[in-house]
Amino acid sequence: MKQQQTVQIDIDSALSGTQLDELLRPAALCLREGGLVAFPTETVYGLGANALDADAVAQIFSAKGRPGDNPLIVHVADIDSIYPLTTDLSPLAEHLLNLLTPGPLTLILPRSAIVPDAVTAGLETVAVRIPSHPVARKLIKLAGVPVAAPSANRSGKPSPTRAWHVADDLNGRIDYLIDGGACEYGLESTVLDLTGEQPEILRPGAISAEMITSVLAEFRKSGKIVSPPLSKHDQPQENPIHTEDPFAAIPKSPGMKYRHYAPAADLVICDQSSPQARADAISQQIMGCLNQGQSTSDVRLGVYLSAETWALLPASLRTEAKDPTIPKILFHIYAEKAEPAAASHHLFDALRTLDQKSVDIILAEGLPEGGAATAYMNRLRKASGGGDVP
Ligand code: TXA
Ligand code: MG
């Protein structure tokens, strides 16, 4: 991989539209001409290349160290830009795009011939997404081409949600890094496959199964079922979409077969249903470290939790331990309340930060499954290395 200078562009949210144009123009031109540009989206930072330029796309794989059989998402600014990429934009796909995007939803559609094999890893389908982040949207518009972009991390690291995460992984390997601050959601988009018998969630994200189910129900009510894949759902169903079991043996999404990022530390999930029960579980884990009969004075624990749960821990654990046999505990408190949006927003940043501090074990507060918590728990399980997960 050749070393090159990475130019960083800092975006202040107070900039006018014209100022933003001026700042982004060189990076957009670079994208158009085959370069690599990392940029913020509402989910995580993406590493973009011109999706119609196979050589540029190949550079994404080498900069990331990504296996070539893991396809990329193509980012566009509007629905019209999706038509050339697919042979069939069904009424259902249009309906989902109209109601749920711009935003953190990726659709898998039949690909058209203009999409290079390098993007789809040779599959007959293509992943498309319309991001809502104003910087991503402006960059794509200025580039004037669809932008293939995986998450802007080295393969095997957590997706980046801050510019410094990208710089840590890719400085010297890419042309531009656009710093737009922290990403709103902090977890990657929901991936919804529309090419099978029925819509199927391949990766949970901020657009939850419940949201998609309700949009599908509306669509069905409007009597617009014309596309063959949905014909068997003419009858109302409880839950018309399938959510992939993250531990399933045969991955539907190629990326799902790769072992995902797991921190150097062991990650233990404490996922009881109430804050008190989770605080008890965290205390028990900490005490468990004490009872292992080993010298614990140099064991470092990281704990990822909300302030409300932290406040329920025994006072002796919350204060800096005077007793040298008690492990050093680094609390990473993500928000006042234990809730999925804040827990998701800070998760990848916390994992990178705790890794940098060389903790041996990370205890993470889990949240009851359902809604936005499903994606959070999915990423926690991946980070804990549970099962055959991406
Ligand atoms: O939020 C996101 O989706 C971010 C931002 C940058 O947009 N992107 C992202 O890309 O997470 P990446 O490459 O890290 O993850 C894309 C996932 C992978 O699991 C990949 O296997 C799957 O989407 N994918 C891409 N194309 C596919 C296809 N044609 N069929 C099935 N899965 C596909
Ligand atoms: Mg990724």
Side-chain angles (χ1 to χ4, degrees), residues 15 51 61 107 118 134 231 240 280 308 346:
L15 289 177
F61 287 87
L107 296 183
S231 55
D280 293 346
E308 66 171 328
H346 293 283

Side-chain angles (χ1 to χ4, degrees), residues 180-211:
C183 300
E184 181 186 350
Y185 294 105
L187 301 181
E188 309 86 344
S189 62
T190 306
V191 177
L192 181 67
D193 186 358
L194 294 180
T195 64
E197 291 264 303
Q198 50 188 318
E200 182 173 6
I201 293 181
L202 303 184
R203 179 174 74 182
I207 302 283
S208 65
E210 291 83 350
M211 290 161 79

